[in-house]
Amino acid sequence: MTKFRLPGSFSDAASFEARLKEIDPSLGCDPEPLDASGPMGQSIEAGGLTLSNRFAIHPMEGWDGTSDGLPSEATLRRWHRFGLSGAALLWGGEAFAVVPEGRANPNQLHQGSSDAAGEGLKELMATLLVGRGEAGVGDRDFLPGLQLTHSGRWSRPTPDGPSPRVAYRHPVLDARVGVDSDDAVFTDEEVAALPQKYASAAVLASDAGFKFVDVKCCHGYLLHEFLSARSRPGPWGGDFEGRTRLFRETVAAIREAVPGLEVGVRLSVTDQFPFTAGADGVGEPDGLDGNLPYESAFGLDAADPFRPDFTEPFRFFALLEELGISLVNLTVGSPYYCPHAQRPAAFPPSDGYMSPSDPLESVAAHIAAVRACKKEFPGLLFVGSGYTYLQEWLPHVAQHEVREGHVDFVGLGRMVLSYPELPMDLLAGRPLRTKSICRTFSDCTTGPRNGMPSGCYPLDPHFRSLPEAKVIRAMRPKRR
Ligand SMILES: Cc1cc2nc3c(=O)[nH]c(=O)nc-3n(C[C@H](O)[C@H](O)[C@H](O)COP(=O)(O)O)c2cc1C
Ligand code: SF4
């Protein structure tokens, strides 16, 4: 049983800060969040623009596109709300699969099934700008990007179940997705063809008005998995050079196809040994014995696979600098095998487990990782993740991190599903709407894990009124 105090139970910033300092004495929580005159309203140069605030919206898909990869009304609604946030950086919008078979779910946006994929992206951009117009921020000084993905091991393009394609055979995760032979491993010929798929998606993104594309290297998806493909023979595995080859070739193909388009990278900068629910429902490592040293991760100490090792991530950042890439969004682990680290939450999704530690420790790990990277690579622009669990203290901690120069942008994930106007409220000096603050119930993950669209079923009145809301609520594991 894990016992922890929820952020909402702290009565003031000082007592919350005291708890943070028990976890890591260097953490901080500003006493009072400021309006646009404060750190979160400080302008910053990014992507050739001067951006007027330090909020970014993280990519969040909704499992709600059409089966041929186009946005539905529900998708457009989400993007409208992303626009309402007024955040100066839209990091990715949501994962857009570069091939139909690389979808993580049958309703993921993608190219290759419909000739109208580019029109769909234009519609999303137009809707985003309507939201921004309503927020009073318009379309200037706004950096929107599209996240490009191949789901690799986590591909599930049809309702028939997983259809994994992997970079290498994995000692723990193969069993989770039914990989039992080398047939699922990408052949060298298949790998060589992938960069062109990213390039054609980048053309669509650029034509639709996106100013950058994110070559997604996180959360266990294909390009992230290649970064740890030490056991893969041939040109796309083995040493650091081989493991980053697919990424480098992808960037080169995008640059050749759309020379003016910026490229960014969302990276799982560290990882965790895969977790599973123990008999008491609390997460525990899934078969550590016999799997040490653990060589199947990027940015993780192989001898102690719960501790980051930034040696290779730092080499990766040096590579980004060489390639002229400065936009980096940092995240941790994967929602599939270590959700407590990737998406700190009070309540797990239906297929998850109770956090084995205070979720604040996971938030602290995100913050520490970003700080270490920013310190070593001050010229890169970093977006931090994992802030939503801070709840009412998010503005205070965000301001502290930006003010101290530990991070350039604070990314909002789940918080923007429940409360899209939070950045505008803060920047305008309005009090927070506490009833809209995401309480990390994880219903937005439970829905899709059970074949339903994502959304904030408990707090967003639109989703609360849907019949699915009750069904999902009943699936909530009890907090022990
Ligand atoms: C419903 C949902 C969909 C998500 N979709 C994506 C995605 O498409 N791409 C991605 O990189 N991360 C995705 N994420 C992860 C978020 O971008 C973010 O990293 C995570 O929620 C942690 O940030 P937070 O604490 O602010 O929520 C998703 C998260 C949720 C809850
Ligand atoms: S369902 Fe709503 S309250 Fe729950 S985690 Fe998702 S956004 Fe937050």
Side-chain angles (χ1 to χ4, degrees), residues 138-176:
D139 57 0
R140 291 172 49 138
D141 304 334
F142 169 50
L143 189 58
L146 183 69
Q147 182 175 64
L148 303 183
T149 192
H150 186 302
S151 306
R153 176 175 297 280
W154 307 103
S155 297
R156 200 184 184 103
T158 71
D160 301 336
S163 191
R165 298 302 315 278
V166 303
Y168 63 94
R169 298 295 302 279
H170 192 287
V172 182
L173 299 179
D174 277 4
R176 300 228 182 150

Side-chain angles (χ1 to χ4, degrees), residues 178-201:
V179 171
D180 54 10
S181 82
D182 289 350
D183 292 353
V185 180
F186 265 91
T187 65
D188 284 354
E189 291 69 29
E190 288 171 324
V191 177
L194 280 171
Q196 283 311 322
K197 303 293 183 190
Y198 281 80
S200 57

Side-chain angles (χ1 to χ4, degrees), residues 126-372:
T127 310
L128 189 64
L129 294 180
V130 169
R132 286 184 61 82
E134 288 170 24
V137 288
D139 57 0
R140 291 172 49 138
D141 304 334
F142 169 50
L143 189 58
L146 183 69
Q147 182 175 64
L148 303 183
T149 192
H150 186 302
S151 306
R153 176 175 297 280
W154 307 103
S155 297
R156 200 184 184 103
T158 71
D160 301 336
S163 191
R165 298 302 315 278
V166 303
Y168 63 94
R169 298 295 302 279
H170 192 287
V172 182
L173 299 179
D174 277 4
R176 300 228 182 150
V177 287
V179 171
D180 54 10
S181 82
D182 289 350
D183 292 353
V185 180
F186 265 91
T187 65
D188 284 354
E189 291 69 29
E190 288 171 324
V191 177
L194 280 171
Q196 283 311 322
K197 303 293 183 190
Y198 281 80
S200 57
V203 171
L204 296 182
S206 173
D207 288 350
F210 290 91
K211 298 212 169 69
F212 75 98
V213 285
D214 163 23
V215 177
K216 182 177 191 179
C217 293
C218 63
H219 300 165
Y221 295 113
L222 190 65
L223 264 70
H224 180 217
E225 188 162 275
F226 264 94
L227 295 179
S228 61
R230 295 180 184 84
S231 60
R232 182 185 171 97
W236 286 281
D239 60 10
F240 183 79
E241 180 79 3
R243 285 181 277 124
T244 54
R245 186 181 307 279
L246 177 56
F247 171 74
R248 286 183 281 113
E249 290 175 347
T250 299
V251 173
I254 291 171
R255 291 247 167 94
E256 198 182 330
V258 207
L261 189 66
E262 290 278 339
V263 174
V265 183
R266 191 162 204 218
L267 176 73
S268 283
V269 67
T270 181
D271 214 328
Q272 293 269 302
F273 189 88
F275 274 66
T276 189
D280 56 357
V282 178
E284 60 185 34
D286 185 8
L288 197 55
D289 288 350
N291 281 312
L292 290 177
Y294 179 64
E295 303 282 0
S296 311
F298 180 73
L300 194 63
D301 183 340
D304 177 4
F306 308 98
R307 264 169 43 118
D309 177 348
F310 294 122
T311 313
E312 287 207 334
F314 285 178
R315 282 184 76 182
F316 189 76
F317 296 140
L319 172 64
L320 295 188
E321 288 190 329
E322 263 172 52
L323 294 173
I325 294 174
S326 61
L327 296 169
V328 189
N329 184 324
L330 294 183
T331 171
V332 166
S334 162
Y336 296 104
Y337 55 81
C338 54
H340 72 287
Q342 192 267 330
R343 215 172 272 189
F347 303 89
S350 60
D351 65 341
Y353 50 78
M354 283 305 297
S355 183
S357 51
D358 184 340
L360 276 182
E361 291 184 28
S362 298
V363 178
H366 275 266
I367 290 176
V370 177
R371 285 182 176 189

Side-chain angles (χ1 to χ4, degrees), residues 414 417-418 438-444 455-459:
R414 292 160 293 178
L417 296 181
S418 68
C438 166
R439 299 295 173 189
T440 65
F441 294 120
S442 293
D443 289 6
C444 50
C456 183
Y457 288 93
L459 302 181

